[in-house]
Amino acid sequence: METKMTANQMEHKRIQLGMEGVVNVARVGLGGGLALFWRSGWDVRLLSYSVGHIHVLITESNGSQFYLTVFYGHPETQQRHHSWERLRRLSYSIQGAWVVVRDFNEILLSKDKRGGRE
């Protein structure tokens, strides 16, 4: 079952969670769909986004800064190199601390895989 949250639903979720802000990138088809919520005390500047990433610069209330990228690797193996290239291009603009989170869609150990071909 495919579900897409409208802007109003995402705003309702932000309020329900007690968050100050949200950046949402809707999913396309069955893949993707990213959201970044944050509490007060952070100044969040959106630098770029796509169906596979949200890239922001966060300034904390004490003045320290770091980059945060919410990342979703392409679900199709043969297309995943585009995801890694996007991450590589983002890295060129980083000056300081950088955190990358979410789903890389990569399996490092075969024991972590369930179903499908070996």
Side-chain angles (χ1 to χ4, degrees), residues 1-46:
M1 175 184 200
E2 183 176 339
T3 60
K4 293 183 180 181
M5 293 184 84
T6 66
N8 285 342
Q9 289 170 319
M10 190 59 68
E11 180 65 8
H12 177 74
K13 183 60 74 176
R14 180 192 70 78
I15 292 167
Q16 182 182 32
L17 294 172
M19 299 294 175
E20 180 175 304
V22 61
V23 174
N24 178 46
V25 178
R27 62 195 245 171
V28 175
L30 297 176
L34 298 169
L36 172 64
F37 293 90
W38 63 90
R39 293 188 185 274
S40 63
W42 280 5
D43 176 45
V44 178
R45 190 172 95 203
L46 180 64

Side-chain angles (χ1 to χ4, degrees), residues 99-113:
V99 178
V100 181
V101 296
R102 187 88 198 290
D103 187 353
F104 290 83
N105 270 327
E106 292 285 354
I107 299 171
L108 299 178
L109 303 170
S110 60
K111 71 177 185 167
D112 294 335
K113 183 175 180 346

Side-chain angles (χ1 to χ4, degrees), residues 21-81:
V22 61
V23 174
N24 178 46
V25 178
R27 62 195 245 171
V28 175
L30 297 176
L34 298 169
L36 172 64
F37 293 90
W38 63 90
R39 293 188 185 274
S40 63
W42 280 5
D43 176 45
V44 178
R45 190 172 95 203
L46 180 64
L47 301 175
S48 66
Y49 68 92
S50 72
V51 73
H53 85 286
I54 299 171
H55 185 59
V56 298
L57 176 62
I58 297 174
T59 304
E60 297 180 274
S61 57
N62 65 6
S64 63
Q65 293 184 318
F66 66 96
Y67 293 87
L68 174 66
T69 304
V70 181
F71 182 79
Y72 182 76
H74 200 288
E76 297 176 24
T77 305
Q78 63 273 24
Q79 299 296 319
R80 207 161 295 137
H81 69 280

